[in-house]
């Protein structure tokens, strides 16, 4: 019997979690749209060059970064599945300059912010990549416009990410509950494999781009040195994969501000906020070095932020060194 048949499927999970709960009505459909999209994206990731999806499009995105063909394909797939879910009012996406306002908006709609393909530099070299989603409930009676997407991370109702690695795993976080589901490629179904994820008490790893050491300010360099002296280094260069390992094994990820990146490297709305939400629900913490990520009042859809997240005690210690100035 295929393994997936013996376990609770994602569909069963969302049905049992949220049916009869008006405040989360429709959220299950949004999650299943993410699952359907990620199933399609993982098929492209697996086929890679065979599906003719590797290489660059020749365009740069709103961040001025080179767009890989798989970035565009993933963005198109998730915009399609989320728009067709019937419960998404607007989508903000790393690859699309302006928000996608979904026609035929429904009253109980959600707003989804996404990085459809995280880890672009690893696409062509068969290293783990992923997708990241933050989910906000549309305000009652709100007519959605571009500004409707600029909500702080602490208003998220759920967040999810998918890692396309040696297996494909979807991690879903709602208030106080983080659950991991593994894809059975044969049936196309995700089933529970990692219930009730809590970040382990002991931090094993630190993940940072050591090549940036020379452009760090003195307090930040000191904070990274403390991490280097205590923990093993692991750095994939795909945020979602580095984050997932640290969540399951115990660890801290740091992409702080530096001389070349005064606002940091990573994006607030569809990288830092969703993963900040996940890590907090799993008992960890997420900070800029000076402020809780989820409390940032956003000004722009594509704004960047320094990001330090993982084990709460280690994040707090790191932040205290950085902010001591
Ligand atoms: P992407 O969303 O375009 O893939 O860029 C974000 C990625 C993260 O996944 C990763 O943590 C970071 O960029 C790596 O940056 P660097 O190569 O500077 O270490
Ligand atoms: Mg990314």
């Amino acid at each position: 019997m295929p393994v997936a048949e013996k376990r609770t499927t994602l569909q069963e999970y969302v049905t049992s979690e949220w049916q009869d709960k008006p405040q989360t009505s429709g959220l299950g459909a949004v999650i299943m749209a993410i699952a359907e999209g990620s199933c399609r994206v993982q098929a492209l990731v697996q086929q890679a060059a065979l599906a003719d999806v590797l290489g660059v499009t020749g365009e740069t995105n709103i961040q001025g970064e080179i767009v890989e063909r798989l970035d565009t394909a993933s963005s198109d797939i998730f915009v399609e599945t989320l728009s067709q879910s019937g419960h998404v009012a607007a989508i903000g996406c790393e690859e699309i300059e302006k928000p996608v306002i979904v026609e035929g908006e429904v009253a109980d709609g959600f707003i989804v912010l996404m990085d459809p393909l995280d880890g672009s530099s690893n696409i062509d070299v068969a290293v783990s990549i992923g997708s990241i989603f933050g989910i906000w409930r549309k305000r009652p009676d709100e007519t959605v416009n571009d500004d409707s997407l600029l909500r702080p991370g602490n208003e998220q109702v759920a967040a999810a990410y998918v890692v396309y690695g040696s297996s494909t795993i979807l991690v879903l976080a709602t208030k106080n509950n983080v659950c991991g589901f593994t894809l059975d490629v044969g049936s196309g179904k995700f089933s529970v494999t990692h219930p009730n994820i809590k970040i382990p008490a002991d931090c094993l790893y630190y993940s940072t781009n050591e090549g940036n050491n020379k452009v760090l300010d003195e307090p930040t360099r000191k904070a990274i040195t403390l991490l280097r002296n205590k923990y093993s280094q692991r750095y994939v260069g795909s945020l979602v994969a580095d984050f997932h390992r640290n969540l399951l094994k115990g660890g801290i990820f740091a992409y702080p501000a530096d001389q070349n990146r005064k606002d940091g490297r990573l994006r607030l709305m569809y990288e830092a906020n969703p993963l900040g939400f996940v890590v907090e629900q799993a008992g960890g913490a997420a900070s800029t070095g000076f402020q809780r990520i989820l409390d940032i009042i956003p000004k722009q859809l594509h704004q960047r932020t320094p990001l330090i997240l993982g084990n709460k005690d280690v994040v707090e210690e790191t932040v205290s060194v950085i902010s001591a100035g």
Side-chain angles (χ1 to χ4, degrees):
M1 185 191 293
V3 174
E5 285 181 26
K6 292 187 280 185
R7 297 178 182 271
T8 303
T9 65
L10 179 62
Q11 179 70 73
E12 290 163 350
Y13 179 91
V14 299
T15 303
S16 71
E17 282 285 302
W18 297 321
Q19 71 178 356
D20 307 328
K21 291 185 185 158
Q23 69 275 24
T24 44
S25 161
L27 185 53
V30 178
I31 302 302
M32 294 314 295
I34 289 171
E36 184 197 330
S38 60
C39 219
R40 288 166 59 186
V41 171
Q42 82 79 33
L44 293 178
V45 170
Q46 288 300 313
Q47 283 201 297
L50 296 174
D52 207 17
V53 289
L54 300 189
V56 299
T57 61
E59 292 165 3
T60 51
N61 66 13
I62 181 67
Q63 340 269 342
E65 295 163 343
I66 292 163
V67 177
E68 301 277 341
R69 295 176 68 193
L70 200 55
D71 283 326
T72 307
S74 306
S75 173
D76 291 349
I77 286 171
F78 285 117
V79 167
E80 183 185 316
T81 62
L82 289 167
S83 302
Q84 291 177 355
S85 72
H87 293 279
V88 172
I91 303 163
C93 173
E94 177 179 343
E95 303 304 330
I96 306 174
E97 182 178 359
K98 296 269 188 192
V100 176
I101 308 294
V102 180
E103 285 177 24
E105 183 183 317
V106 287
D108 63 349
F110 292 85
I111 291 170
V112 179
L113 279 289
M114 65 174 177
D115 178 351
L117 214 283
D118 176 62
S120 298
S121 68
N122 285 322
I123 289 175
D124 287 358
V125 291
V127 171
S128 297
I129 48 182
S131 305
I132 308 174
F133 306 86
I135 305 171
W136 285 254
R137 171 175 280 290
K138 182 173 82 72
R139 293 197 172 100
D141 303 324
E142 177 183 23
T143 302
V144 172
N145 59 35
D146 289 7
D147 291 339
S148 309
L149 283 77
L150 300 179
R151 305 260 297 272
N154 58 29
E155 293 183 8
Q156 286 170 106
V157 292
Y161 66 84
V162 183
V163 181
Y164 313 105
S166 52
S167 58
T168 294
I169 181 161
L170 184 155
V171 173
L172 170 63
T174 49
K175 198 88 190 139
N176 297 322
N177 189 6
V178 182
C179 188
F181 305 81
T182 300
L183 178 66
D184 176 35
V185 177
S187 67
K189 287 181 180 156
F190 284 93
S191 297
V192 176
T193 46
H194 299 70
N196 193 25
I197 295 173
K198 296 286 177 205
I199 192 163
D202 290 335
C203 177
L204 291 186
Y205 301 123
Y206 80 103
S207 308
T208 197
N209 183 335
E210 287 282 359
N212 293 339
N213 208 36
K214 56 191 174 300
V215 286
L216 299 180
D217 64 22
E218 206 43 51
T220 308
R221 189 177 301 139
K222 188 174 164 195
I224 299 294
T225 301
L226 288 173
L227 295 176
R228 189 184 305 124
N229 290 342
K230 278 194 191 171
Y231 308 113
S232 292
Q233 207 255 10
R234 296 282 188 280
Y235 192 68
V236 173
S238 298
L239 169 66
V240 70
D242 280 311
F243 176 81
H244 182 62
R245 182 201 50 252
N246 292 350
L247 183 70
L248 295 190
K249 303 277 191 185
I252 180 169
F253 175 96
Y255 212 122
D258 60 43
Q259 286 166 22
N260 298 336
R261 307 167 191 83
K262 302 275 183 221
D263 298 322
R265 159 94 161 92
L266 299 166
R267 275 53 62 106
L268 172 66
M269 295 308 292
Y270 37 79
E271 294 180 321
N273 269 336
L275 298 186
F277 182 86
V278 174
V279 83
E280 284 201 5
Q281 305 317 311
S287 172
T288 63
F290 296 88
Q291 182 184 11
R292 180 185 178 219
I293 289 287
L294 300 190
D295 286 341
I296 299 172
I297 306 298
K299 296 191 180 71
Q300 290 171 11
L301 181 57
H302 299 286
Q303 80 185 65
R304 294 179 191 264
T305 180
L307 178 62
I308 297 153
L309 79 174
N311 284 74
K312 193 165 191 278
D313 55 340
V314 186
V315 169
E316 285 173 355
E317 192 185 356
T318 303
V319 165
S320 73
V321 176
I322 291 176
S323 59

